[in-house]
Amino acid sequence: MSGQSVQVKIDDGIAYVLLNRPEKMNAINYLMFSELDRAIKQIKSNRGVRAVILSGAAGNFSSGLDVKSVMSAPMQAVKLLFKGLPGNANLAQRVSLGWQNLPVPVIAVLEGCCYGGGMQIALGADVRIASHDCKLSIMEAKWGLVPDMAGLVALRQIMPKDQAMLLSLTAKVLESNEALALGLVTQVSETPMEAAQQLAQQLMQTSPDAAAAIKLSINRSWTASVRSLLCRESISQIRLLLGKNCKIAATRQLKDPQKPYQDRQSGW
């Protein structure tokens, strides 16, 4: 599953996804966009994956878009932005939105710089754990651009509108503790990878079907109508009750705490 700029390793149910252009501070070129998109699709099809940990190589998450690389190849820019319908996600948007669409928890480990497109990718994760020395910025305005990688889907759910507006307009660089106070990151840790691994192990103690249903329900219903929310909850609950992992969860609570779950149901 690994490529030239994105490495993927699956170990004991955890998919480790590494942005791997250390010589460029993991700046995102067209190849990285393509390989991230492919990695998301491959992880989604693997029902044995229980959690994802997303990180960057050599102490940086990502310095953002490799502007020189993308702009030097006009057809690559076209491929990044092309979409069949205006409401569909293009390639640039899928590498952020795609993490939200996975039926497993995604934890981003943020170290060093997390700027622009890197911040947009991180916003697609369900949880963001930052190091104390991490610096974060929604930096597109600095380049005369609008943030257009679907990060706003998450941003509007985790932050007040006025704060999101200020950060996007000013391209301010935040220290990790400032980002934590604003809700841009979930946790600050001296050892963010270790914290991510511990959290992944904790999340894997629950049914993979329940985790998929909870993530789907929260992401789809957060800004939806009450009727839509109620409908989704009912349908998901029926699917869970009919599945084997629900029975295994009860057994784990009442008789055998170590009884293993089966792979996630298809269709989430």
Side-chain angles (χ1 to χ4, degrees), residues 29-99:
N29 60 2
Y30 181 79
L31 180 61
M32 184 179 283
F33 276 110
S34 299
E35 290 183 352
L36 277 172
D37 189 43
R38 184 164 65 248
I40 291 168
K41 291 174 182 176
Q42 290 173 332
I43 291 170
K44 188 172 185 177
S45 67
N46 187 336
R47 292 192 286 129
V49 172
R50 300 290 312 279
V52 176
I53 296 179
L54 174 64
S55 63
N60 286 293
F61 185 72
S62 173
S63 59
L65 182 68
D66 188 340
V67 176
K68 182 177 179 181
S69 171
V70 173
M71 297 308 291
S72 66
M75 281 309 298
Q76 289 185 359
V78 171
K79 291 177 182 178
L80 275 178
L81 300 177
F82 175 79
K83 54 178 71 179
L85 293 171
N88 291 351
N90 58 31
L91 176 56
Q93 293 163 334
R94 291 199 301 271
V95 300
S96 175
L97 197 60
W99 304 114

Side-chain angles (χ1 to χ4, degrees), residues 27 71 118 153 160 186 191 223 244 249:
M71 297 308 291
V153 174
T186 314
T191 53
T223 56
K244 293 181 179 179

Side-chain angles (χ1 to χ4, degrees), residues 190-201:
E190 290 281 0
T191 53
M193 178 56 76
E194 183 179 321
Q197 290 171 325
Q198 290 175 352
L199 176 58
Q201 291 295 334

Side-chain angles (χ1 to χ4, degrees), residues 247-260:
K247 298 178 179 65
I248 293 172
T251 300
R252 286 169 64 95
Q253 291 298 316
L254 299 172
K255 296 179 181 178
D256 181 5
Q258 302 304 318
K259 186 174 177 63

Side-chain angles (χ1 to χ4, degrees), residues 20 49 63 92 114 130 204 209 226 245:
N20 193 35
V49 172
S63 59
C114 181
M204 289 167 64
D209 297 330
V226 172
N245 278 324

Side-chain angles (χ1 to χ4, degrees), residues 87 96-97 100-101 119-120 122-125 128 138 147 149-165 167-168 182-184 218-225:
S96 175
L97 197 60
Q100 288 202 9
N101 291 335
M119 187 72 251
Q120 300 292 308
L123 282 167
R128 286 164 293 283
I138 302 171
M149 287 174 56
L152 185 58
V153 174
L155 197 64
R156 66 182 181 178
Q157 297 170 352
I158 63 176
M159 183 178 291
K161 177 184 173 184
D162 58 343
Q163 295 292 349
M165 185 79 74
L167 292 181
S168 300
L182 291 170
L184 196 60
I218 290 177
N219 282 342
R220 297 280 181 87
S221 301
W222 198 254
T223 56
S225 68

